[in-house]
Amino acid sequence: MIEFRIDRRSGVATYLQIVQQTKQALRLGLLEPGDRLPTAREVVQATAINPNTVLKAYRELEREGLVEARRGLGTFVRATLGGGAASAGSPLHDELADWARRAREAGLEREDMAALLTSVLDDTYRAPGARRTQQGDENA
């Protein structure tokens, strides 16, 4: 079962952190269709957040078709995200884990790795014909 970690200093709304963490677990194959999410009460006990916040997150996930609430039973995963290529133990996951270890050994901090990865992702998923200026802005 997923355990939510709330970062009150992140600037991201608490309900969105729950939504994002659930989606990440779906992408990584940690949650699969049929799995039950923790009840609002369980999340409240573990994180000390308002139960309405948990319910808001679950409603958003339900609106997106990822989970379904079953009266008296809980909230269950309906759909998954990703194709399993990102799941723990997959070749891509293992290669990225090796890269992260090498980057850490080379002296990069977590924030440095995140910035580098974001930059590579931006370059990889940039629209065809777009180019980067010296300031890093995207232009057509």
Side-chain angles (χ1 to χ4, degrees):
M1 187 179 300
I2 188 170
E3 291 183 28
F4 297 111
R5 289 183 169 72
I6 305 303
D7 182 356
R8 288 163 176 43
R9 294 172 280 142
S10 73
V12 176
T14 303
Y15 90 95
L16 282 177
Q17 290 183 49
I18 293 171
V19 169
Q20 291 168 349
Q21 289 175 36
T22 303
K23 287 181 176 181
Q24 182 175 1
L26 290 168
R27 282 187 182 92
L28 295 175
L30 302 173
L31 285 174
E32 297 178 348
D35 288 348
R36 185 178 70 81
L37 295 181
T39 65
R41 179 176 292 169
E42 291 167 339
V43 176
V44 168
Q45 288 174 342
T47 62
I49 61 174
N50 188 303
N52 290 327
T53 302
V54 180
L55 297 174
K56 182 176 182 179
Y58 285 8
R59 280 192 305 271
E60 175 64 19
L61 291 164
E62 189 168 22
R63 187 190 66 73
E64 294 182 27
L66 298 173
V67 302
E68 67 178 333
R70 298 180 191 159
R71 193 181 249 343
L73 297 175
T75 302
F76 293 83
V77 174
R78 286 187 66 200
T80 189
L81 296 171
S87 63
S90 73
L92 289 175
H93 178 277
D94 293 345
E95 287 176 33
L96 188 55
D98 288 342
W99 174 84
R101 278 190 290 280
R102 289 193 318 273
R104 186 174 184 186
E105 290 168 0
L108 270 70
E109 297 293 329
R110 181 183 181 100
E111 293 80 13
D112 300 327
M113 285 189 253
L116 181 57
L117 183 58
T118 298
S119 173
V120 170
L121 289 172
D122 289 347
D123 289 345
T124 301
Y125 289 96
R126 186 178 327 287
R131 61 180 174 78
R132 179 174 280 195
T133 67
Q134 288 178 326
Q135 291 80 26
D137 297 330
E138 294 182 17
N139 295 320

